[in-house]
Coordinates of all heavy atoms in Angstrom, one line a residue:
F1 N -11.8 4.6 12.4 CA -11.3 3.6 13.3 C -9.8 4.0 13.6 O -9.2 4.6 12.8 CB -11.5 2.2 12.8 CG -10.6 1.8 11.7 CD1 -9.6 0.8 12.0 CD2 -10.7 2.3 10.4 CE1 -8.7 0.4 11.0 CE2 -9.8 1.8 9.4 CZ -8.9 0.9 9.7
W2 N -9.4 3.6 14.8 CA -8.1 4.0 15.3 C -6.9 3.6 14.4 O -5.8 4.2 14.5 CB -7.9 3.6 16.7 CG -7.8 2.1 16.9 CD1 -8.8 1.2 17.1 CD2 -6.6 1.3 16.8 NE1 -8.3 -0.1 17.1 CE2 -7.0 -0.1 17.0 CE3 -5.2 1.6 16.6 CZ2 -6.0 -1.1 16.9 CZ3 -4.3 0.5 16.5 CH2 -4.7 -0.8 16.7
L3 N -7.0 2.5 13.7 CA -5.9 2.0 12.9 C -5.7 2.7 11.6 O -4.6 2.6 11.0 CB -6.1 0.5 12.7 CG -5.0 -0.3 12.1 CD1 -3.8 -0.3 13.0 CD2 -5.5 -1.8 12.0
R4 N -6.7 3.5 11.1 CA -6.7 4.1 9.8 C -5.4 4.9 9.5 O -4.8 4.7 8.5 CB -7.9 5.0 9.6 CG -7.9 5.6 8.2 CD -9.2 6.3 7.8 NE -10.3 5.5 7.9 CZ -10.8 4.6 7.0 NH1 -10.1 4.5 5.9 NH2 -11.9 3.9 7.1
P5 N -5.0 5.8 10.4 CA -3.8 6.6 10.0 C -2.5 5.7 9.8 O -1.7 6.0 8.9 CB -3.5 7.5 11.2 CG -4.7 7.4 12.1 CD -5.5 6.2 11.7
F6 N -2.4 4.6 10.6 CA -1.3 3.8 10.4 C -1.4 3.0 9.2 O -0.4 2.8 8.4 CB -1.1 2.8 11.7 CG -1.0 3.6 12.9 CD1 -2.1 3.7 13.8 CD2 0.2 4.2 13.3 CE1 -2.0 4.4 15.0 CE2 0.3 4.9 14.5 CZ -0.8 5.0 15.3
Y7 N -2.6 2.5 8.9 CA -2.8 1.7 7.6 C -2.6 2.6 6.4 O -2.0 2.2 5.4 CB -4.2 1.1 7.6 CG -4.4 0.4 6.3 CD1 -3.7 -0.8 6.0 CD2 -5.2 0.9 5.3 CE1 -3.9 -1.5 4.8 CE2 -5.3 0.2 4.1 CZ -4.7 -1.0 3.9 OH -4.8 -1.6 2.7
D8 N -3.0 3.9 6.5 CA -2.8 4.8 5.4 C -1.3 5.0 5.1 O -0.9 5.0 3.9 CB -3.4 6.2 5.7 CG -4.9 6.2 5.5 OD1 -5.5 5.2 4.9 OD2 -5.6 7.1 6.0
L9 N -0.5 5.2 6.1 CA 0.9 5.3 5.9 C 1.5 4.0 5.3 O 2.3 4.1 4.4 CB 1.6 5.6 7.3 CG 1.4 7.0 7.8 CD1 1.9 7.2 9.2 CD2 2.0 8.1 6.9
Y10 N 1.1 2.9 5.9 CA 1.6 1.6 5.4 C 1.2 1.4 3.9 O 2.1 1.1 3.1 CB 1.0 0.5 6.2 CG 1.3 -0.9 5.7 CD1 2.5 -1.5 5.9 CD2 0.3 -1.6 5.0 CE1 2.8 -2.7 5.4 CE2 0.6 -2.8 4.5 CZ 1.8 -3.4 4.7 OH 2.1 -4.7 4.2
S11 N 0.0 1.7 3.6 CA -0.5 1.4 2.2 C 0.1 2.4 1.2 O 0.4 1.9 0.1 CB -2.0 1.5 2.1 OG -2.5 2.8 2.4
Y12 N 0.4 3.6 1.6 CA 0.9 4.5 0.6 C 2.4 4.5 0.5 O 3.0 4.8 -0.6 CB 0.5 6.0 0.9 CG -0.9 6.3 0.4 CD1 -1.9 6.5 1.3 CD2 -1.2 6.3 -1.0 CE1 -3.2 6.8 0.8 CE2 -2.4 6.6 -1.4 CZ -3.5 6.8 -0.5 OH -4.7 7.1 -1.0
F13 N 3.1 4.1 1.6 CA 4.6 4.1 1.5 C 5.2 2.7 1.5 O 6.2 2.6 0.9 CB 5.1 4.9 2.7 CG 4.7 6.4 2.7 CD1 3.8 6.9 3.5 CD2 5.3 7.2 1.7 CE1 3.4 8.2 3.4 CE2 5.0 8.6 1.6 CZ 4.0 9.1 2.5
V14 N 4.6 1.8 2.1 CA 5.2 0.4 2.2 C 4.8 -0.4 1.1 O 5.7 -1.1 0.4 CB 4.9 -0.2 3.6 CG1 5.5 -1.6 3.6 CG2 5.5 0.6 4.7
I15 N 3.5 -0.6 0.8 CA 3.0 -1.5 -0.2 C 3.7 -1.2 -1.6 O 4.2 -2.1 -2.2 CB 1.5 -1.5 -0.3 CG1 1.0 -2.1 1.0 CG2 1.0 -2.3 -1.5 CD1 -0.6 -2.1 1.1
P16 N 3.7 0.0 -2.1 CA 4.3 0.2 -3.4 C 5.8 -0.1 -3.4 O 6.3 -0.6 -4.4 CB 4.1 1.7 -3.7 CG 2.9 2.1 -2.9 CD 3.0 1.2 -1.6
R17 N 6.5 0.2 -2.4 CA 7.9 -0.1 -2.3 C 8.2 -1.6 -2.2 O 9.1 -2.1 -2.8 CB 8.6 0.7 -1.1 CG 8.7 2.2 -1.4 CD 9.3 2.9 -0.2 NE 9.5 4.3 -0.5 CZ 8.5 5.2 -0.5 NH1 7.3 4.9 -0.3 NH2 8.8 6.5 -0.8
L18 N 7.3 -2.2 -1.5 CA 7.4 -3.7 -1.4 C 7.2 -4.3 -2.7 O 7.9 -5.2 -3.1 CB 6.4 -4.2 -0.3 CG 6.5 -5.7 0.0 CD1 7.9 -6.0 0.6 CD2 5.4 -6.0 1.0
G19 N 6.2 -3.8 -3.5 CA 5.9 -4.3 -4.8 C 7.1 -4.0 -5.7 O 7.4 -4.9 -6.6
A20 N 7.7 -2.9 -5.6 CA 8.8 -2.6 -6.4 C 10.0 -3.5 -6.1 O 10.7 -4.0 -7.0 CB 9.3 -1.2 -6.2
W21 N 10.2 -3.9 -4.9 CA 11.3 -4.8 -4.5 C 11.0 -6.2 -4.9 O 11.9 -6.9 -5.4 CB 11.5 -4.6 -3.0 CG 12.6 -5.5 -2.5 CD1 13.9 -5.3 -2.7 CD2 12.5 -6.6 -1.6 NE1 14.7 -6.3 -2.1 CE2 13.8 -7.1 -1.4 CE3 11.4 -7.2 -1.0 CZ2 14.0 -8.2 -0.6 CZ3 11.7 -8.3 -0.2 CH2 12.9 -8.8 0.0
V22 N 9.8 -6.7 -4.6 CA 9.5 -8.1 -4.8 C 9.2 -8.4 -6.3 O 9.7 -9.3 -6.9 CB 8.3 -8.5 -3.9 CG1 7.8 -9.9 -4.3 CG2 8.7 -8.5 -2.4
A23 N 8.3 -7.6 -6.8 CA 7.8 -7.9 -8.2 C 8.3 -7.0 -9.3 O 8.0 -7.2 -10.4 CB 6.2 -7.9 -8.2
R24 N 9.1 -6.0 -8.9 CA 9.6 -5.1 -9.9 C 8.4 -4.3 -10.6 O 8.6 -4.0 -11.7 CB 10.5 -5.7 -10.9 CG 11.6 -6.5 -10.3 CD 12.7 -5.6 -9.8 NE 13.9 -6.4 -9.5 CZ 14.4 -6.4 -8.2 NH1 13.8 -5.8 -7.3 NH2 15.5 -7.1 -8.0
Q25 N 7.3 -4.2 -9.9 CA 6.1 -3.5 -10.5 C 5.5 -2.5 -9.5 O 4.4 -2.6 -9.1 CB 5.1 -4.6 -10.8 CG 5.4 -5.6 -11.8 CD 5.5 -5.0 -13.2 OE1 4.8 -4.1 -13.5 NE2 6.5 -5.5 -14.0
P26 N 6.2 -1.4 -9.2 CA 5.7 -0.5 -8.2 C 4.4 0.2 -8.7 O 3.5 0.5 -7.9 CB 6.8 0.6 -8.1 CG 7.6 0.4 -9.3 CD 7.5 -1.0 -9.7
I27 N 4.2 0.4 -10.0 CA 3.0 1.1 -10.5 C 1.8 0.2 -10.2 O 0.7 0.7 -9.8 CB 3.2 1.4 -12.0 CG1 4.2 2.5 -12.1 CG2 1.9 1.9 -12.6 CD1 4.6 2.8 -13.5
A28 N 1.9 -1.1 -10.4 CA 0.8 -2.0 -10.2 C 0.4 -2.0 -8.7 O -0.8 -2.0 -8.4 CB 1.2 -3.5 -10.6
Y29 N 1.4 -1.9 -7.8 CA 1.0 -1.9 -6.4 C 0.5 -0.5 -6.0 O -0.4 -0.4 -5.1 CB 2.2 -2.3 -5.5 CG 2.4 -3.8 -5.6 CD1 3.1 -4.3 -6.7 CD2 1.9 -4.6 -4.7 CE1 3.3 -5.7 -6.8 CE2 2.0 -6.0 -4.7 CZ 2.7 -6.5 -5.8 OH 2.9 -7.9 -5.9
Q30 N 0.9 0.6 -6.6 CA 0.3 1.9 -6.4 C -1.2 1.8 -6.9 O -2.1 2.3 -6.2 CB 1.0 3.0 -7.0 CG 0.5 4.4 -6.7 CD 0.5 4.6 -5.2 OE1 1.5 4.5 -4.5 NE2 -0.6 5.0 -4.6
Y31 N -1.4 1.2 -8.0 CA -2.8 1.0 -8.5 C -3.6 0.2 -7.5 O -4.8 0.6 -7.3 CB -2.8 0.3 -9.9 CG -4.1 0.0 -10.4 CD1 -4.9 1.0 -10.9 CD2 -4.7 -1.3 -10.2 CE1 -6.2 0.7 -11.4 CE2 -5.9 -1.6 -10.6 CZ -6.7 -0.6 -11.2 OH -8.0 -0.9 -11.6
L32 N -3.1 -0.8 -6.9 CA -3.8 -1.6 -5.9 C -4.2 -0.7 -4.8 O -5.4 -0.7 -4.3 CB -2.9 -2.7 -5.4 CG -3.4 -3.5 -4.3 CD1 -4.7 -4.3 -4.6 CD2 -2.4 -4.5 -3.8
V33 N -3.3 0.1 -4.2 CA -3.6 1.0 -3.1 C -4.7 2.0 -3.5 O -5.7 2.2 -2.8 CB -2.3 1.7 -2.7 CG1 -2.7 2.8 -1.7 CG2 -1.3 0.7 -2.1
D34 N -4.6 2.5 -4.7 CA -5.6 3.5 -5.2 C -7.0 2.8 -5.3 O -8.0 3.4 -5.0 CB -5.2 4.2 -6.5 CG -4.0 5.1 -6.3 OD1 -3.7 5.5 -5.1 OD2 -3.3 5.3 -7.3
S35 N -7.0 1.6 -5.9 CA -8.3 0.9 -6.1 C -8.9 0.5 -4.8 O -10.2 0.6 -4.6 CB -8.1 -0.3 -7.0 OG -7.4 -1.3 -6.4
I36 N -8.1 0.2 -3.8 CA -8.7 -0.1 -2.5 C -9.4 1.1 -1.9 O -10.4 1.1 -1.3 CB -7.6 -0.6 -1.5 CG1 -7.1 -2.0 -1.9 CG2 -8.0 -0.6 -0.1 CD1 -5.8 -2.4 -1.2
R37 N -8.8 2.3 -2.1 CA -9.3 3.5 -1.6 C -10.6 3.9 -2.3 O -11.5 4.5 -1.7 CB -8.3 4.7 -1.8 CG -7.1 4.6 -1.0 CD -7.4 4.9 0.5 NE -6.2 4.9 1.3 CZ -5.8 3.9 2.0 NH1 -6.6 2.8 2.1 NH2 -4.7 3.9 2.7
R38 N -10.8 3.5 -3.5 CA -12.0 3.9 -4.3 C -13.1 2.9 -4.1 O -14.2 3.2 -4.4 CB -11.7 3.9 -5.8 CG -10.9 5.2 -6.2 CD -10.8 5.4 -7.7 NE -10.3 4.2 -8.4 CZ -9.0 4.0 -8.6 NH1 -8.1 4.9 -8.3 NH2 -8.6 3.0 -9.3
F39 N -12.8 1.7 -3.5 CA -13.8 0.7 -3.3 C -14.9 1.2 -2.3 O -14.5 1.9 -1.3 CB -13.2 -0.6 -2.8 CG -14.1 -1.8 -3.0 CD1 -14.2 -2.4 -4.2 CD2 -14.9 -2.2 -1.9 CE1 -15.0 -3.5 -4.3 CE2 -15.7 -3.3 -2.1 CZ -15.8 -4.0 -3.3
P40 N -16.2 1.0 -2.5 CA -17.2 1.5 -1.6 C -17.1 0.9 -0.2 O -16.6 -0.2 0.0 CB -18.5 1.1 -2.3 CG -18.2 0.1 -3.2 CD -16.7 0.2 -3.6
D41 N -17.5 1.7 0.8 CA -17.5 1.2 2.1 C -18.5 0.0 2.3 O -19.3 -0.3 1.4 CB -17.7 2.3 3.2 CG -19.1 2.8 3.2 OD1 -20.0 2.2 2.7 OD2 -19.3 3.9 3.8
Q42 N -18.5 -0.6 3.5 CA -19.3 -1.8 3.7 C -20.8 -1.6 3.4 O -21.4 -2.4 2.8 CB -19.1 -2.3 5.1 CG -17.7 -2.8 5.4 CD -16.7 -1.8 5.8 OE1 -16.8 -0.6 5.4 NE2 -15.7 -2.2 6.6
A43 N -21.3 -0.5 4.0 CA -22.8 -0.3 3.8 C -23.2 0.0 2.4 O -24.2 -0.5 1.9 CB -23.2 0.9 4.7
I44 N -22.4 0.8 1.7 CA -22.7 1.1 0.3 C -22.6 -0.2 -0.6 O -23.4 -0.5 -1.4 CB -21.8 2.2 -0.3 CG1 -22.1 3.5 0.5 CG2 -21.9 2.3 -1.8 CD1 -21.2 4.6 0.2
F45 N -21.6 -1.0 -0.3 CA -21.4 -2.2 -1.1 C -22.5 -3.2 -0.8 O -23.1 -3.9 -1.7 CB -20.0 -2.9 -0.8 CG -19.7 -4.0 -1.8 CD1 -19.5 -3.8 -3.1 CD2 -19.7 -5.3 -1.3 CE1 -19.2 -4.9 -4.0 CE2 -19.4 -6.4 -2.1 CZ -19.2 -6.2 -3.5
A46 N -22.9 -3.3 0.5 CA -24.0 -4.2 0.9 C -25.3 -3.7 0.2 O -26.1 -4.5 -0.3 CB -24.2 -4.2 2.4
A47 N -25.5 -2.4 0.1 CA -26.7 -1.9 -0.6 C -26.7 -2.3 -2.1 O -27.7 -2.6 -2.7 CB -26.8 -0.4 -0.4
A48 N -25.5 -2.2 -2.7 CA -25.4 -2.6 -4.1 C -25.7 -4.1 -4.3 O -26.3 -4.5 -5.3 CB -24.0 -2.3 -4.6
L49 N -25.3 -4.9 -3.4 CA -25.6 -6.3 -3.4 C -27.1 -6.6 -3.3 O -27.7 -7.4 -4.1 CB -24.9 -7.1 -2.3 CG -23.4 -7.3 -2.4 CD1 -22.8 -7.9 -1.2 CD2 -23.0 -8.1 -3.7
Q50 N -27.8 -5.8 -2.5 CA -29.3 -5.9 -2.3 C -29.9 -5.5 -3.6 O -30.9 -6.1 -4.1 CB -29.7 -5.1 -1.1 CG -29.3 -5.7 0.2 CD -29.7 -4.9 1.4 OE1 -29.6 -3.7 1.3 NE2 -30.0 -5.5 2.5
V51 N -29.5 -4.4 -4.2 CA -30.1 -3.9 -5.5 C -29.9 -5.0 -6.6 O -30.7 -5.1 -7.4 CB -29.4 -2.6 -5.9 CG1 -29.8 -2.2 -7.3 CG2 -29.9 -1.5 -4.9
A52 N -28.8 -5.7 -6.5 CA -28.5 -6.8 -7.5 C -29.3 -8.0 -7.2 O -29.2 -9.0 -8.0 CB -27.0 -7.1 -7.5
G53 N -30.1 -8.0 -6.2 CA -31.0 -9.1 -5.9 C -30.6 -10.1 -4.8 O -31.3 -11.1 -4.6
F54 N -29.5 -9.8 -4.1 CA -29.1 -10.7 -3.0 C -30.0 -10.4 -1.8 O -30.3 -9.2 -1.5 CB -27.6 -10.5 -2.7 CG -26.7 -11.1 -3.7 CD1 -26.4 -10.4 -4.9 CD2 -26.2 -12.4 -3.5 CE1 -25.5 -11.0 -5.8 CE2 -25.4 -12.9 -4.5 CZ -25.0 -12.2 -5.6
A55 N -30.2 -11.4 -1.0 CA -31.0 -11.3 0.2 C -30.0 -11.7 1.4 O -29.0 -12.2 1.2 CB -32.2 -12.2 0.2
D56 N -30.5 -11.4 2.6 CA -29.7 -11.7 3.8 C -28.3 -11.2 3.7 O -27.3 -11.8 4.0 CB -29.7 -13.2 4.0 CG -31.1 -13.8 4.1 OD1 -31.9 -13.2 4.8 OD2 -31.3 -14.9 3.5
V57 N -28.1 -10.0 3.2 CA -26.8 -9.4 3.0 C -26.3 -8.9 4.3 O -27.0 -8.3 5.2 CB -26.9 -8.2 2.0 CG1 -25.6 -7.4 1.9 CG2 -27.3 -8.6 0.6
A58 N -25.0 -9.3 4.6 CA -24.3 -8.9 5.8 C -22.8 -8.8 5.5 O -22.4 -9.2 4.4 CB -24.6 -9.9 6.9
W59 N -22.1 -8.3 6.4 CA -20.6 -8.3 6.2 C -20.0 -8.5 7.6 O -20.5 -8.3 8.6 CB -20.1 -7.0 5.6 CG -20.3 -5.7 6.4 CD1 -19.4 -5.3 7.4 CD2 -21.4 -4.8 6.3 NE1 -19.9 -4.1 7.9 CE2 -21.1 -3.8 7.3 CE3 -22.5 -4.7 5.6 CZ2 -21.9 -2.7 7.5 CZ3 -23.3 -3.6 5.8 CH2 -23.1 -2.6 6.7
R60 N -18.7 -8.9 7.5 CA -17.9 -9.1 8.7 C -16.5 -8.4 8.4 O -15.8 -8.8 7.5 CB -17.7 -10.6 8.9 CG -16.8 -10.9 10.1 CD -16.7 -12.3 10.4 NE -15.8 -12.5 11.5 CZ -15.0 -13.6 11.6 NH1 -15.1 -14.6 10.7 NH2 -14.2 -13.7 12.6
N61 N -16.2 -7.4 9.3 CA -14.9 -6.8 9.2 C -13.8 -7.7 9.7 O -14.0 -8.4 10.7 CB -15.0 -5.5 10.0 CG -15.7 -4.4 9.3 OD1 -15.7 -4.3 8.1 ND2 -16.3 -3.5 10.0
L62 N -12.7 -7.6 9.1 CA -11.5 -8.3 9.5 C -10.4 -7.3 9.7 O -10.4 -6.3 9.0 CB -11.1 -9.3 8.5 CG -12.1 -10.4 8.1 CD1 -11.6 -11.2 6.9 CD2 -12.5 -11.3 9.2
S63 N -9.5 -7.6 10.6 CA -8.3 -6.7 10.8 C -8.8 -5.2 11.1 O -8.3 -4.3 10.4 CB -7.3 -6.7 9.6 OG -6.9 -8.0 9.4
F64 N -9.7 -5.1 11.9 CA -10.2 -3.8 12.3 C -10.8 -3.0 11.1 O -10.8 -1.8 11.1 CB -9.2 -2.9 13.0 CG -8.6 -3.6 14.2 CD1 -7.3 -4.2 14.1 CD2 -9.3 -3.6 15.4 CE1 -6.8 -4.8 15.2 CE2 -8.7 -4.3 16.5 CZ -7.5 -4.9 16.4
G65 N -11.4 -3.7 10.2 CA -12.0 -3.1 9.0 C -11.1 -2.9 7.8 O -11.6 -2.4 6.8
I66 N -9.9 -3.3 7.9 CA -9.0 -3.1 6.7 C -9.5 -4.1 5.6 O -9.4 -3.7 4.5 CB -7.6 -3.4 7.1 CG1 -7.0 -2.3 8.1 CG2 -6.7 -3.6 5.9 CD1 -5.7 -2.6 8.6
A67 N -9.9 -5.2 6.0 CA -10.5 -6.2 5.0 C -11.9 -6.5 5.5 O -12.3 -6.3 6.7 CB -9.7 -7.4 5.0
C68 N -12.8 -7.0 4.6 CA -14.2 -7.2 4.9 C -14.7 -8.4 4.0 O -14.4 -8.4 2.9 CB -15.0 -5.9 4.7 SG -16.7 -6.1 5.1
L69 N -15.5 -9.2 4.7 CA -16.1 -10.3 3.9 C -17.6 -9.9 3.8 O -18.2 -9.6 4.8 CB -16.0 -11.6 4.6 CG -14.6 -12.2 4.7 CD1 -14.7 -13.5 5.6 CD2 -14.1 -12.5 3.4
H70 N -18.2 -10.0 2.6 CA -19.6 -9.7 2.4 C -20.3 -11.1 2.2 O -19.7 -11.9 1.5 CB -19.8 -8.8 1.2 CG -19.4 -7.4 1.6 ND1 -20.3 -6.5 2.0 CD2 -18.3 -6.7 1.5 CE1 -19.7 -5.3 2.2 NE2 -18.5 -5.5 1.9
F71 N -21.5 -11.2 2.7 CA -22.3 -12.4 2.5 C -23.7 -12.0 2.0 O -24.2 -11.0 2.2 CB -22.5 -13.1 3.8 CG -21.2 -13.4 4.6 CD1 -20.8 -12.5 5.5 CD2 -20.5 -14.5 4.3 CE1 -19.6 -12.7 6.2 CE2 -19.4 -14.8 5.0 CZ -18.9 -13.9 6.0
G72 N -24.2 -12.9 1.2 CA -25.6 -12.8 0.7 C -26.1 -14.0 0.0 O -25.2 -14.9 -0.3
T73 N -27.3 -14.2 -0.1 CA -27.9 -15.3 -0.8 C -28.6 -14.8 -2.0 O -29.3 -13.8 -2.0 CB -28.8 -16.2 0.1 OG1 -29.8 -15.3 0.6 CG2 -28.1 -16.8 1.2
K74 N -28.5 -15.5 -3.1 CA -29.2 -15.2 -4.4 C -30.3 -16.1 -4.5 O -30.1 -17.3 -4.7 CB -28.2 -15.3 -5.5 CG -28.8 -14.9 -6.9 CD -28.8 -13.4 -7.0 CE -29.2 -13.0 -8.5 NZ -29.3 -11.6 -8.7
P75 N -31.6 -15.6 -4.5 CA -32.7 -16.5 -4.7 C -32.7 -17.2 -6.0 O -32.3 -16.6 -7.0 CB -33.9 -15.6 -4.5 CG -33.4 -14.4 -3.9 CD -32.0 -14.3 -4.3
H76 N -33.1 -18.5 -6.0 CA -33.2 -19.2 -7.3 C -34.4 -18.7 -8.1 O -35.5 -18.5 -7.6 CB -33.4 -20.7 -7.1 CG -32.1 -21.3 -6.4 ND1 -31.0 -21.5 -7.2 CD2 -31.9 -21.7 -5.2 CE1 -30.1 -22.1 -6.3 NE2 -30.6 -22.2 -5.1
E77 N -34.2 -18.5 -9.4 CA -35.3 -18.1 -10.2 C -36.0 -19.3 -10.8 O -35.3 -20.3 -11.2 CB -34.8 -17.2 -11.3 CG -34.2 -15.9 -10.7 CD -33.8 -14.9 -11.8 OE1 -34.3 -15.0 -13.0 OE2 -33.0 -14.0 -11.5
A78 N -37.3 -19.2 -10.9 CA -38.0 -20.4 -11.4 C -38.1 -20.3 -12.9 O -38.0 -19.4 -13.6 CB -39.4 -20.4 -10.8

């Protein structure tokens, strides 16, 4: 998506520095950026939810896909 290069720059250069300034924890914020990068994309995560037993799995991208909400229903077991 078109926003990715700008978000990449922001996440690698601004977020850790902001964390260092605000919370005095730059390493924690670098870890946050790295963990976001390692998180599976929407389709892979949705498939994992289905494998875990969720039905009606869907997602909604927010902020051009920078954030995403996943939805699903878990059937009640008798």
Side-chain angles (χ1 to χ4, degrees):
F1 74 110
W2 66 269
L3 191 57
R4 182 174 302 278
F6 301 105
Y7 179 72
D8 285 344
L9 288 171
Y10 173 78
S11 67
Y12 279 113
F13 295 106
V14 175
I15 292 174
R17 286 176 176 78
L18 188 61
W21 180 68
V22 171
R24 307 282 189 243
Q25 296 291 326
I27 293 172
Y29 284 83
Q30 185 60 51
Y31 173 79
L32 172 65
V33 170
D34 293 339
S35 67
I36 290 168
R37 293 284 182 262
R38 287 191 305 270
F39 198 83
D41 70 17
Q42 291 88 330
I44 293 172
F45 190 70
L49 290 174
Q50 289 173 327
V51 168
F54 286 86
D56 304 318
V57 174
W59 67 84
R60 179 176 175 212
N61 284 329
L62 305 172
S63 302
F64 304 103
I66 291 172
C68 181
L69 295 175
H70 287 267
F71 306 94
T73 55
K74 182 79 172 179
H76 293 285
E77 295 186 23

